[in-house]
Amino acid sequence: RAKAAGGNRYEMADDAADARAITRHSLTTALPAALERGEFFVEYQPLVRLGDGSVRGAEALVRWSHPQHGILGPDRFIPLAEHTGLIVPLGRWVLDQSVRQAREWQRLFGADEDVLRVNVNLSPCQLHHPRLVAETVEILERTGLEPGALCLEVTESALIGADDDLLKPLRRLAEMGVDIALDDFGTGYSNLANLRRLPVSVLKLDRSFTQGMQQFPADPVDLKIVEGIVSLAHSLDLAVTVEGVETGAQADQLRELGCDTAQGWYYARPGPADQVRALSLVDAASG
Ligand code: C2E
Ligand code: MG
Ligand code: MG
Ligand code: MG
């Protein structure tokens, strides 16, 4: 009996694996038409200054409104788009949307780049694409957004072992005034010495660090690690943003540890651009 049941379970697992493979395949082949039909949309999650709680900007996070499967998160389709190369036009579309949105916020709140900026994720394929710099410049010029209001997020793993050829476009963008953030910092092979040669101005501490602070009292070793990263970052003139802040206690702790900016459900979930606008209006009214 046990054996039969085991056999059944095995069959079920196999079916599930098949179903996942079929879904992956059908999602992959549906990607180009989905981009053409406008099935993708961007949500924005506010980034908040820990010092005074004001809105610093927002991270653009892409979603797919799939006609059969409903709303799909990026983890479901970004890897597929990276595999087929569709990430290049999709990423360009996200950048265009986000930059135009940031320009719109500036129309509402003033063009000071310190008012609201937008963070956009770049995948490794986009980094390798020869037209990244030209297209970014084209989008900024067409919309009239100053480069300092744009922050491009690149994961640490994308830059592992990056040679100068790969870093060149990022350097060009940084020289123009675009901020470059190292996303998911601390999850990979964090080569701290390597930080000095990367053209980054922001470290985004991965959610795993903030998760370690969920329990009370927080793990003292986690606190020491974050404290160390923050002091290293600041000594290299890098700002520190923390991801995944879910409670006020975490926010207090991270502020004490010297983190500059925070992002997470405690402040707001990713949502429509209007949410960022509404939160900024609250700021403007109280500040
Ligand atoms: P990420 O850049 O590290 O983005 C942060 C993720 O953490 C987002 O997941 C966000 O919804 C989630 N998050 C934010 N606050 C909290 C919190 O307090 N608690 C928890 N548990 N989660 C929180 P999301 O939207 O599913 O995006 C996942 C990843 O997909 C992103 O990770 C990013 O790497 C990638 N991604 C999203 N949009 C794009 C895009 O336009 N282009 C590329 N290349 N990648 C993208
Ligand atoms: Mg990101
Ligand atoms: Mg991140
Ligand atoms: Mg992350």
Side-chain angles (χ1 to χ4, degrees):
R1 269 201 60 158
K3 198 170 180 231
N8 273 335
R9 255 202 313 275
Y10 192 67
E11 237 171 62
M12 270 175 57
D14 240 3
D15 284 352
D18 282 351
R20 276 196 303 275
I22 291 165
T23 310
R24 261 200 311 275
H25 179 75
S26 74
L27 290 181
T28 304
T29 50
L31 279 166
L35 184 58
E36 254 168 50
R37 280 199 294 263
E39 289 174 7
F40 294 99
F41 65 100
V42 179
E43 286 194 319
Y44 298 89
Q45 185 176 35
L47 277 102
V48 173
R49 294 183 186 89
L50 276 163
D52 62 3
S54 62
V55 179
R56 169 79 180 92
E59 178 174 8
L61 297 159
V62 67
R63 279 90 179 83
W64 181 0
S65 178
H66 191 284
Q68 277 94 48
H69 301 291
I71 293 176
L72 302 178
D75 293 338
R76 289 288 300 280
F77 62 86
I78 291 286
L80 308 177
E82 284 176 338
H83 195 68
T84 61
L86 196 88
I87 190 67
V88 170
L90 177 59
R92 187 190 302 130
W93 180 83
V94 172
L95 183 65
D96 186 78
Q97 290 287 303
S98 311
V99 165
R100 282 199 277 164
Q101 184 55 60
R103 189 73 185 101
E104 186 57 31
W105 284 327
Q106 293 199 333
R107 281 201 190 92
L108 292 162
F109 298 105
D112 182 354
E113 70 183 47
D114 245 30
V115 178
L116 277 180
R117 76 168 175 195
V118 75
N119 287 33
V120 180
N121 293 287
L122 275 194
S123 96
C125 314
Q126 289 173 276
L127 273 186
H128 287 95
H129 194 265
R131 294 198 37 80
L132 173 69
V133 176
E135 283 171 3
T136 307
V137 169
E138 189 272 317
I139 291 173
L140 289 170
E141 282 177 352
R142 174 161 42 81
T143 53
L145 190 80
E146 62 264 50
L150 174 65
C151 176
L152 296 174
E153 300 192 359
V154 185
T155 59
E156 204 186 355
S157 53
L159 297 184
I160 295 277
D163 57 15
D164 272 342
D165 279 350
L166 191 68
L167 294 179
K168 216 183 272 167
L170 283 183
R171 276 209 189 95
R172 284 275 312 281
L173 291 164
E175 278 160 18
M176 285 166 43
V178 173
D179 265 316
I180 311 290
L182 205 51
D183 203 355
D184 299 340
F185 183 78
T187 51
Y189 310 81
S190 302
N191 181 347
L192 296 176
N194 196 29
L195 273 179
R196 296 176 51 207
R197 63 179 203 103
L198 301 178
V200 299
S201 44
V202 182
L203 285 191
K204 279 192 92 169
L205 264 192
D206 191 67
R207 192 163 75 223
S208 49
F209 290 102
T210 30
Q211 264 163 357
M213 291 183 192
Q214 292 263 29
Q215 76 235 45
F216 187 83
D219 182 342
V221 177
D222 276 346
L223 294 183
K224 281 277 172 225
I225 292 173
V226 174
E227 200 176 11
I229 292 175
V230 170
S231 89
L232 173 84
H234 285 169
S235 72
L236 294 171
D237 269 331
L238 305 175
V240 178
T241 298
V242 282
E243 304 182 318
V245 178
E246 294 184 356
T247 68
Q250 281 175 311
D252 291 342
Q253 207 137 43
L254 291 160
R255 185 183 308 109
E256 264 166 50
L257 291 170
C259 297
D260 304 289
T261 318
Q263 179 181 358
W265 296 348
Y266 173 62
Y267 301 101
R269 301 220 173 199
D274 262 4
Q275 169 182 249
V276 179
R277 190 175 93 112
L279 286 170
S280 305
L281 283 170
V282 174
D283 271 4
S286 63

